[in-house]
Amino acid sequence: MTSPLVWRISRESARLIGYKCTSCGWVSFPERKRTCKRCGAAPAEFEELQMKPFGKIISFVIQHRLPEGFQTPLPLAVVEFDEGARVYGEIIDCRPEEVQVGLEVEADLRVMYEENGLDIYSYKFKPRRGSA
Amino acid sequence: MIDFGEHFSMSLEDMIEEAYLNAIASVDKGLDPKEIEAAWYGTVYPAMGNSGLVLSHATGLFGIPITRVENACATGSDTFRNACFSVAAGLYNVVLVVGAEKMHDEPGGLLQRADLKRLWMGRGVTMPAFFGLRATAYMHKYGITREQVALVSVKNHHNGSLYPHAHLRFECSVEDVVNAPYVSYPLGLYDCCPVTDGAAALILARADIATRYTDNPVYVLGSGLATDSFVRGGDLTNFRASQNAAKQAYETAGVKPEDIDVAEIHDCFSITELISYEDLGFAEPGQGVKLLDEGHVHLGGEKPINPSGGLLAKGHPLGATGAAQIAELYEQLRGEAGPVQVKNPEIALQHNVGIGRFATGSVGCVHILGR
């Protein structure tokens, strides 16, 4: 069984579906909202938006102290998708020294943790290489 | 307030009791507990349940309204703010404000809030990470080094070494700060406040009757409170919650940043104080380090900031922090701050910026006090 917390956002989270405010352009992800968190429109009109798995690092830290289950040192970043949505994300498939502000990254579906014998998937981010 | 520190031998209620007794004893012309008509109680972790009843049990005040307030790291100051409203509205003559936090009873502590079993919000984002993300963005945008950010820790640990209520009473150097183990790069151990137990109590009375209790009252001139979220955009080099709270406080007080003589501001991490200089209008964006380089914000400077040692040295018992800052500024304005007394201050500023909603946003709170 998936926790309600995860289940509520499962469609948007897994498919990278965002919601764009038609008055100011702010993008809500992964939660579907009825009011805009940037311009305050209430009710706001949102358009469903299929985001691409691409973005860039706005800022980052290298985590050295984390709860059980995480491996450290762990690069953790604020990532802004090309469509504007902002999220926290783990940076993978690179050395911590490669992580920098402005680095272009690609969202990659990974197992995040296990709950009641079920693998819970979501996105981590890896440097965008080659084909970009 | 009580001495901040690791109070394994004291319960949450023991700490509140001591802070309350200290506050009553500090009233120049005396205060009968029966004169207290209502109380506000701020705490973040409901170590003994989440109602106002803890304050009743700690103080013996039953049968009067007691409200518990929680608002991230601005809990203590928002508790005070709500008590101010009741007095300003003319509902009560005398009320009590208590902020308290027991940080050492739970071995897991705040770290557990960055739980692995969470998607997007807060996953792996500890408090040092939330502020570390600000540090990286700030240092990147303005070309600031870790050594420059460390000047905040050096200043505040110096002040804390002199301040009797501080948890950590030692000095440190820039080298100590930058060579300490990383907690959340770019923040190391001495860029972070310690884990601290504490409590602070304040007595608030209507301005027109304050002289019944003291000939030397301190007045609340202004107050502000605001929230913000990182998902709204912006470059992560400031806290709009602080900026908006400060704007409200300056406007209600009718004063400007340059009028502030002394301030206790939120330095949960070194970078937080640096950014807050700018959010509070003490420096232009990217120029905060100049205040440290020029000694402007040091104990003997023009605008001493965190003479108590701040959260970095004094400690940061979440719910107690804002209330303690106000208690410290009360002493500063009355000339009673002993070894950390600044020269003849008339207007003081108190500031908190906390994080909430699984580390996605911030809460800013600012008060302005005057003689």
Side-chain angles (χ1 to χ4, degrees), chain A residues 33-92:
Chain A
K33 299 290 187 188
R34 298 175 63 200
T35 60
C36 180
K37 313 313 163 193
R38 182 186 283 159
C39 71
E45 204 176 305
F46 282 100
E47 283 171 357
E48 191 169 307
L49 178 71
Q50 177 61 60
M51 306 196 307
K52 293 188 183 69
F54 303 123
K56 65 173 183 190
I57 291 178
I58 301 291
S59 191
F60 71 94
V61 290
I62 311 292
Q63 285 286 64
H64 290 258
R65 294 282 184 275
L66 279 169
E68 211 172 308
F70 285 103
Q71 281 189 331
T72 57
L74 175 75
L76 182 88
V78 172
V79 172
E80 192 169 278
F81 282 96
D82 289 351
E83 293 81 3
R86 256 185 200 191
V87 295
Y88 288 126
E90 286 171 48
I91 306 301
I92 53 168

Side-chain angles (χ1 to χ4, degrees), chain B residues 20-194:
Chain B
Y20 171 63
L21 291 171
N22 289 349
I24 292 202
S26 75
V27 178
D28 295 337
K29 298 182 185 176
L31 174 78
D32 182 341
K34 289 187 176 57
E35 293 178 77
I36 296 170
E37 294 167 285
W40 275 259
Y41 161 53
T43 196
V44 178
Y45 292 98
M48 298 180 80
N50 54 17
S51 70
L53 197 53
V54 170
L55 186 56
S56 289
H57 262 276
T59 57
L61 293 169
F62 288 92
I64 61 167
I66 297 185
T67 303
R68 179 189 167 223
V69 177
E70 177 184 345
N71 208 350
C73 295
T75 292
S77 44
D78 196 16
T79 307
F80 176 73
R81 181 176 152 85
N82 278 276
C84 287
F85 292 153
S86 77
V87 173
L91 279 176
Y92 305 117
N93 291 327
V94 178
V95 302
L96 170 71
V97 176
V98 173
E101 207 71 53
K102 191 69 186 144
M103 307 281 285
H104 281 97
D105 279 9
E106 300 247 354
L110 298 179
L111 200 62
Q112 299 309 323
R113 296 221 159 175
D115 193 2
L116 180 78
K117 294 190 171 183
R118 193 172 277 156
L119 297 186
W120 304 110
M121 279 202 293
R123 182 190 160 88
V125 191
T126 53
M127 304 218 174
F130 180 88
F131 289 96
L133 286 161
R134 254 46 190 208
T136 302
Y138 185 92
M139 291 161 68
H140 180 261
K141 180 171 178 180
Y142 298 117
I144 301 293
T145 63
R146 283 196 70 217
E147 283 76 5
Q148 289 173 299
V149 178
L151 294 172
V152 173
S153 301
V154 173
K155 168 180 75 72
N156 290 356
H157 276 285
H158 169 73
N159 295 353
S161 73
L162 302 170
Y163 184 60
H165 296 305
H167 180 179
L168 303 180
R169 301 195 59 191
F170 56 79
E171 300 215 37
C172 65
S173 65
V174 168
E175 291 69 34
D176 292 334
V177 180
V178 298
N179 293 325
Y182 284 122
V183 175
S184 183
Y185 170 89
L187 301 179
L189 187 62
Y190 287 178
D191 290 293
C192 306
C193 65

Side-chain angles (χ1 to χ4, degrees), chain B residues 147-163 168 170-174 177 190 262-267 270 273-274 277 282 288-289 291-301 303-314 340:
Chain B
E147 283 76 5
Q148 289 173 299
V149 178
L151 294 172
V152 173
S153 301
V154 173
K155 168 180 75 72
N156 290 356
H157 276 285
H158 169 73
N159 295 353
S161 73
L162 302 170
Y163 184 60
L168 303 180
F170 56 79
E171 300 215 37
C172 65
S173 65
V174 168
V177 180
Y190 287 178
V262 59
E264 287 288 335
I265 75 174
H266 205 84
D267 59 329
S270 49
E273 176 166 325
L274 196 52
Y277 293 160
F282 301 156
V289 170
L291 300 182
L292 290 155
D293 283 339
E294 293 164 5
H296 195 73
V297 289
H298 290 66
L299 257 187
K303 195 193 294 289
I305 292 188
N306 287 329
S308 70
L311 285 49
L312 284 170
K314 181 181 61 200
V340 294

Side-chain angles (χ1 to χ4, degrees), chain B residues 208-228:
Chain B
D208 58 345
I209 63 161
T211 50
R212 281 188 210 165
Y213 302 98
T214 175
D215 292 329
N216 198 10
V218 165
Y219 297 95
V220 183
L221 305 181
S223 176
L225 178 71
T227 60
D228 192 36

